[in-house]
């Protein structure tokens, strides 16, 4: 996945200014593909220069936002990208590496970090669940909404996995007889 494709997707859903895109990334797309305000504006310039999008108002007055829409070439690029094969990305998570390192050097200080991660994942799951209840409670959604809901359900599933795994990891830390220090032998 790449930022240009995330922006093309968002603009096809609704023509927007850079500021509106930033806000939409914060509320939805950013849950699975994050970008800063500067990255979005930089990419909008590249997409416009590449002939994939254009500003609806070519010379806005000072302070007026430039709203962008996708050109046919941008739609074609996104369509090609959607159909392109891509291998799954391996998990690359520092917490998992830290847990593996703790098996070698000891786990002092790691339990509070596991608790913090657990709290963060619980908060994120609550947010996803609230979005699901707000946006997908009504029956018979359109095909596009079913796909959006599928993406949200992936997030719910991932958060549920992390909550279950972190709960198990903390139980291991708290298990009677658990070793607090690495065996020097």
């Amino acid at each position: 996945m790449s930022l240009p494709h995330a922006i093309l997707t968002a603009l096809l859903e609704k023509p927007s200014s850079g500021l509106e895109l930033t806000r939409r990334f914060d509320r939805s797309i950013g849950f699975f593909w994050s970008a800063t305000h500067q990255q979005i504006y930089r990419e909008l310039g590249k997409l416009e220069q590449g002939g994939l999008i254009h500003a609806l108002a070519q010379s806005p007055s000072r302070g007026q936002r430039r709203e962008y829409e996708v050109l046919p070439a941008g739609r074609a690029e996104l369509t090609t990208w959607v159909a392109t094969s891509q291998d799954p990305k391996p998990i690359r998570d520092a917490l998992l590496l830290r847990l593996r390192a703790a098996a070698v050097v000891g786990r002092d200080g790691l339990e509070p970090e596991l608790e913090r991660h657990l709290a963060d994942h619980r908060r994120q799951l609550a947010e996803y669940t609230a979005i699901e209840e707000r946006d997908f409670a009504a029956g018979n959604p359109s095909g596009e909404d079913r796909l959006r809901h599928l993406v949200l359900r992936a997030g719910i599933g991932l958060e549920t996995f992390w909550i279950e795994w972190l709960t198990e990891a903390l139980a291991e830390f708290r298990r009677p007889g658990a070793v607090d220090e690495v065996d020097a032998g």
Side-chain angles (χ1 to χ4, degrees):
M1 183 182 290
S2 68
L3 182 55
H5 298 105
I7 290 173
L8 287 171
T9 300
L11 290 175
L12 280 169
E13 291 174 341
K14 180 181 181 237
S16 304
S17 69
L19 181 59
E20 290 167 331
L21 280 173
T22 300
R23 289 178 180 153
R24 288 172 61 203
F25 266 73
D26 289 344
R27 289 188 321 261
S28 61
I29 293 171
F31 289 131
F32 55 90
W33 191 262
S34 61
T36 66
H37 183 78
Q38 293 84 2
Q39 289 171 317
I40 290 171
Y41 274 95
R42 200 168 32 246
E43 201 58 50
L44 283 170
K46 290 178 188 176
L47 289 168
E48 187 173 29
Q49 197 170 27
L52 301 178
I53 65 170
H54 76 103
L56 293 173
Q58 289 300 326
S59 53
S61 62
R62 184 166 174 80
Q64 183 183 7
R65 294 184 217 159
R66 292 181 71 183
E67 195 168 272
Y68 296 91
E69 71 176 355
V70 177
L71 294 170
R75 179 180 283 278
E77 165 60 28
L78 189 60
T79 300
T80 299
W81 179 75
V82 166
T84 302
S85 176
Q86 184 176 9
D87 292 333
K89 299 293 180 211
I91 294 175
R92 189 174 158 168
D93 190 289
L95 183 62
L96 297 175
L97 182 58
R98 291 170 66 198
L99 195 62
R100 178 76 184 248
V104 179
V105 299
R107 30 188 181 176
D108 284 348
L110 190 54
E111 187 173 351
E113 184 67 356
L114 292 171
E115 290 168 344
R116 187 180 69 78
H117 278 255
L118 179 58
D120 286 347
H121 286 288
R122 285 180 173 152
R123 268 191 299 279
Q124 190 64 62
L125 179 60
E127 186 171 352
Y128 287 167
T129 303
I131 292 169
E132 183 177 41
E133 290 170 3
R134 182 192 70 215
D135 295 349
F136 300 104
N140 226 3
S142 68
E144 293 84 7
D145 280 343
R146 286 195 309 269
L147 292 178
R148 288 182 188 104
H149 190 202
L150 192 60
V151 171
L152 179 61
R153 287 182 27 226
I156 289 169
L158 288 169
E159 294 305 326
T160 300
F161 161 78
W162 281 112
I163 290 166
E164 290 171 359
W165 183 84
L166 286 160
T167 300
E168 181 182 340
L170 283 164
E172 180 62 31
F173 268 65
R174 296 169 182 149
R175 186 174 55 85
V179 179
D180 289 328
E181 297 178 15
V182 175
D183 183 4

